[in-house]
Amino acid sequence: MSQSPRTLSRRFVLRGLGTAVALPLLDVMSPTRLLAATSNGGPPPLRMGFFYVPNGIHMPAWTPQKEGRGFELTPTLQKLAENKDSISVLSGLTLDGARAHGDGGGDHARSVAAFLTGAHPRKTNGADIQNGVSVDQVAAQYVGDRTRFASLELGLEASSQAGNCDSGYSCAYASNMSWRGPTNPMAKETDPRALFDRLFAGQTVKETRRAKSEREKYRKSILDFVSEDAKRLHAHLPIVDRRKLDEYLYSIRDVEKRLDGAEKLGLTEEGVPDYPRPSGVPQELSRHSDLMMDMVALAYQTDSTRILSFMFTNAGSNRAYKEIGVNEGHHELSHHGKSEHKQAEIAKINSFHAERFNYLLSRLKLIREGDGSLLDHCMIVYGSGISDGDRHNHDDLPILLAGGGGGRIRAGQHVRYKNGTPLCNLYLWMMKQMGANADSFGDSNSVLQGLG
């Protein structure tokens, strides 16, 4: 460490063999590295995120009856109770690009392809895919150069770039919601260990391979390679920043331990010894999701990126959720035909997803940044491009906006818009908060009001 903590750069990292560990926002860091910073100091950077759940939602268990700040949490939203003051429920928003417009079936593929683009994707299962540019990638054009990663695309199921996945629509539509260009979907990272390595890997391939080999040989933590640099920095920091650094380094080591645990299958009922798994993806969806949410928190905390998207599963996913007692496929259940049993099972899946999202919000709220929490400096959309899975309708969508937006969002309220209000109006508002100079996006017809 060669810099004085009085002038510590926001881009300062702890270095070791093939490893570069970015730091969280510390009080001693120069404000000139922060978004909208001035000579008198500036606020922490604003983060943007989009989290997608497939197959619609059981709306009676989602939509609050009351509007404003006095709304009551519905059964599904009850999973977010501890973060109620940090979420806004937005009813009445519509995704017109996901409608058929003469193209027949394929609502699932269209719902995710249009979710961040607002475009109507060309119906094809060949190479001639055509969509719009997604809002996250537009925002990345404005702020992506301020971080190591312009954006991150994440999920729990891998992306596909070819094949027929929904009534003649390419799998590229059904499994990707981030689009760099009309023909360029952004594939997701689904392996938490691979993502961890991306966030904390060394500066060259050769160094990274050597460091990885050393860690595997001696079972060392990433932090073991930067410990000397961390000690030198720690000794010169004020007490408050020492505490922040300690908490951050603890969270990294904790994630590492759980990643190591995720690579073991454990003893079978017959007592067969465990053995290494071929990847870092846990079998249990809840553990997989929580590890990925840990990665999201670390990516935001270190300012490695300010923009990311996350798909819980791909559009039309027929995954069964046996760990919560749902043995039937999600897609099949979504075609409930008003069956009380199927709707109850869908509500269980919806609650499971909401609980996993709540885990992330709670992590972000615990991380202190500036005069508040990391969650205070985020604006994160959670929802689906389909409302009722049985009707395949794309109006009155289940949409949440989480975080304080750096003081721009009056969270803790239910806002009901006129049914048919474009979802892209919300995106246009978000883009402007990120500094994007745009007058329209997708099918927007104005900037969404009522958020501040």
Side-chain angles (χ1 to χ4, degrees), residues 207-223:
E207 288 176 347
T208 301
R209 288 175 177 171
R210 185 158 62 106
K212 185 175 181 180
S213 176
E214 288 290 305
R215 289 200 301 275
E216 291 175 349
K217 181 177 180 180
Y218 298 108
R219 300 188 64 81
K220 286 185 176 181
S221 160
I222 284 274
L223 301 182

Side-chain angles (χ1 to χ4, degrees), residues 242-254:
R242 289 182 187 181
R243 187 179 300 115
K244 287 183 180 180
L245 181 61
D246 289 341
E247 291 174 352
Y248 168 64
L249 296 180
Y250 175 83
S251 69
I252 292 179
R253 194 178 293 275
D254 179 64

Side-chain angles (χ1 to χ4, degrees), residues 225-433:
F225 289 86
V226 299
S227 60
E228 292 303 318
D229 216 9
K231 288 178 182 177
R232 286 192 291 270
L233 174 61
H234 192 278
H236 292 88
L237 290 175
I239 293 178
V240 173
D241 280 344
R242 289 182 187 181
R243 187 179 300 115
K244 287 183 180 180
L245 181 61
D246 289 341
E247 291 174 352
Y248 168 64
L249 296 180
Y250 175 83
S251 69
I252 292 179
R253 194 178 293 275
D254 179 64
V255 169
E256 280 189 316
K257 289 179 180 178
R258 289 190 292 124
L259 283 171
D260 289 337
E263 290 187 331
K264 300 292 183 179
L265 290 177
L267 294 175
T268 66
E269 292 181 358
E270 295 75 23
V272 178
D274 63 353
Y275 58 95
R277 295 190 65 195
S279 71
V281 179
Q283 289 181 314
E284 300 88 352
L285 189 61
S286 57
R287 292 184 64 202
H288 185 190
S289 176
D290 290 354
L291 280 171
M292 292 297 286
M293 297 305 178
D294 289 334
M295 298 298 102
V296 170
L298 287 173
Y300 276 156
Q301 185 179 11
T302 57
D303 203 25
S304 295
T305 191
R306 296 177 188 175
I307 300 169
L308 60 82
S309 59
F310 189 101
M311 291 180 65
F312 279 87
T313 59
N314 295 335
S317 169
N318 204 35
R319 174 193 288 268
Y321 289 74
K322 295 183 179 180
E323 63 185 282
I324 59 172
V326 178
N327 298 317
E328 299 165 81
H330 188 190
H331 183 208
E332 292 178 6
L333 287 169
S334 72
H335 293 270
H336 53 75
K338 298 185 178 180
S339 163
E340 292 185 4
H341 164 72
K342 289 185 177 181
Q343 291 182 80
E345 296 293 270
I346 295 168
K348 289 181 184 177
I349 296 173
N350 299 158
S351 293
F352 175 83
H353 289 150
E355 190 172 25
R356 306 274 67 81
F357 185 60
N358 182 71
Y359 174 84
L360 171 65
L361 300 186
S362 296
R363 283 293 309 271
L364 297 177
K365 183 181 285 188
L366 287 174
I367 298 172
R368 308 315 300 170
E369 186 179 76
D371 57 357
S373 71
L374 180 51
L375 183 57
D376 292 330
H377 303 120
C378 291
M379 47 181 185
I380 304 175
V381 173
Y382 172 95
S384 182
I386 293 178
S387 183
D388 176 22
D390 196 50
R391 295 171 54 208
H392 283 170
N393 62 308
H394 307 286
D395 64 315
D396 196 15
L397 294 173
I399 300 294
L400 287 180
L401 180 62
R408 300 168 177 85
I409 300 173
R410 186 172 180 261
Q413 61 175 331
H414 174 213
V415 185
R416 184 179 296 279
Y417 297 95
K418 181 181 178 181
N419 196 27
T421 299
L423 176 62
C424 288
N425 286 4
L426 169 62
Y427 297 159
L428 182 59
W429 181 87
M430 296 176 70
M431 288 168 56
K432 289 183 177 296
Q433 311 316 306

Side-chain angles (χ1 to χ4, degrees), residues 188-209:
K188 306 185 297 294
E189 176 60 72
T190 62
D191 186 335
R193 179 168 291 282
L195 179 56
F196 185 91
D197 288 342
R198 282 181 66 186
L199 292 175
F200 301 109
Q203 301 302 300
T204 68
V205 173
K206 182 177 180 180
E207 288 176 347
T208 301
R209 288 175 177 171

